[in-house]
Amino acid sequence: MIHLYYFYPACSLAAHIALEESGLPFEAHAVDLKDPAKAAEYKKINPRGTVPAITVDGVMLSESVAILNYIAELAPKAGLIPTTPMERAQCISMLAWSASTAHINFRRSFRPERFCADPATHDAVRADGRAAFWSNLEAVDQRLQNHDWVMGRNFTAVDGYGLRFYDWGRIAKYPVDDLKALTAFKDRMLARPAVRRVLAREGSPLVA
Ligand SMILES: N[C@@H](CCC(=O)N[C@@H](CS)C(=O)NCC(=O)O)C(=O)O
């Protein structure tokens, strides 16, 4: 049995969607990262304190890119990561960009203290992060101009990240609805039964 640890509205949405789409049996555990006592308790499972993490037979795996790869390999029929070498590498490239660029830009916009301790820098770090994340949203919108899914014709593990980025943009009051292709993609994601189940479980207002 796979145990998934997630938090709303964290990047763990991508792993949660991948697991639900995979059809693999799993148990989802919400971790309240805003509660210091619960966040500290969770470090007994994942010492880094981050979500997503999964445990399988007592072995813990963290980092979205690794988790998504693992799920994709366990459930090849779900097509979460393509199998031909270049398509597979392109998909992993987009996952890595999501985790290491877009996610980090968004973090700069609301956790500036993680980047520089000096409060005098925080407004500038926030503003730079906000501008950079907006350009990342535009880049995803661009990719979706002529395609239903972020990687093109087929739904993949990257699409959970795409929905998370749309939703972060909505929560942080970016004009996401001006990004027509990204907004249409969000609606396609919301039409997927597995995605709706995950959003309902997480208490997301996207399916309220
Ligand atoms: N590199 C990790 C980052 C995971 C991460 O930082 N998740 C955030 C939520 S979006 C988190 O757990 N933050 C809590 C913390 O950093 O203390 C991944 O891609 O999975």
Side-chain angles (χ1 to χ4, degrees):
M1 172 68 90
I2 300 173
H3 293 268
L4 167 75
Y5 297 86
Y6 74 92
F7 173 65
Y8 173 83
C11 61
S12 45
L13 180 67
H16 201 166
I17 287 176
L19 270 170
E20 191 76 30
E21 291 274 354
S22 75
L24 295 167
F26 73 102
E27 220 171 276
H29 306 267
V31 181
D32 185 357
L33 290 178
K34 287 199 169 140
D35 177 330
K38 290 187 179 145
E41 181 70 18
Y42 173 60
K43 284 193 176 166
K44 290 183 191 155
I45 295 167
N46 175 6
R48 290 182 187 148
T50 55
V51 292
I54 60 171
T55 59
V56 185
D57 297 334
V59 177
M60 192 280 296
L61 181 66
S62 64
E63 295 300 318
S64 300
V65 178
I67 293 169
L68 292 167
N69 259 289
Y70 177 76
I71 298 165
E73 287 209 12
L74 284 189
K77 288 204 179 110
L80 293 166
I81 295 184
T83 49
T84 59
M86 183 49 87
E87 278 187 331
R88 178 177 173 77
Q90 295 286 352
C91 187
I92 291 170
S93 166
M94 200 57 197
L95 288 176
W97 177 85
S98 298
S100 64
T101 298
H103 184 174
I104 303 309
N105 285 333
F106 184 66
R107 180 180 290 164
R108 281 199 286 153
S109 75
F110 80 105
R111 299 297 289 270
E113 74 285 359
R114 293 265 176 110
F115 297 86
C116 185
D118 179 0
T121 66
H122 289 177
D123 282 350
V125 174
R126 260 191 219 101
D128 278 359
R130 200 169 164 87
F133 186 63
W134 176 249
S135 79
N136 298 150
L137 288 174
E138 288 179 318
V140 178
D141 182 72
Q142 191 60 39
R143 290 180 71 93
L144 288 162
Q145 292 295 325
N146 299 309
H147 301 288
D148 281 359
W149 308 107
V150 179
M151 294 314 298
R153 272 174 294 118
N154 299 316
F155 174 88
T156 67
V158 179
D159 292 304
Y161 258 122
L163 184 63
R164 174 36 65 234
F165 294 155
Y166 168 89
D167 194 38
W168 278 346
R170 181 191 64 80
I171 291 167
K173 304 207 179 322
Y174 291 75
V176 274
D177 293 338
D178 291 352
L179 300 176
K180 300 294 179 212
L182 182 64
T183 302
F185 159 80
K186 177 264 297 179
D187 290 336
R188 273 192 294 281
M189 287 293 278
L190 295 188
R192 295 181 77 89
V195 172
R196 295 190 75 78
R197 285 196 296 276
V198 167
L199 293 172
R201 191 177 301 131
E202 293 202 356
S204 167
L206 287 175
V207 287

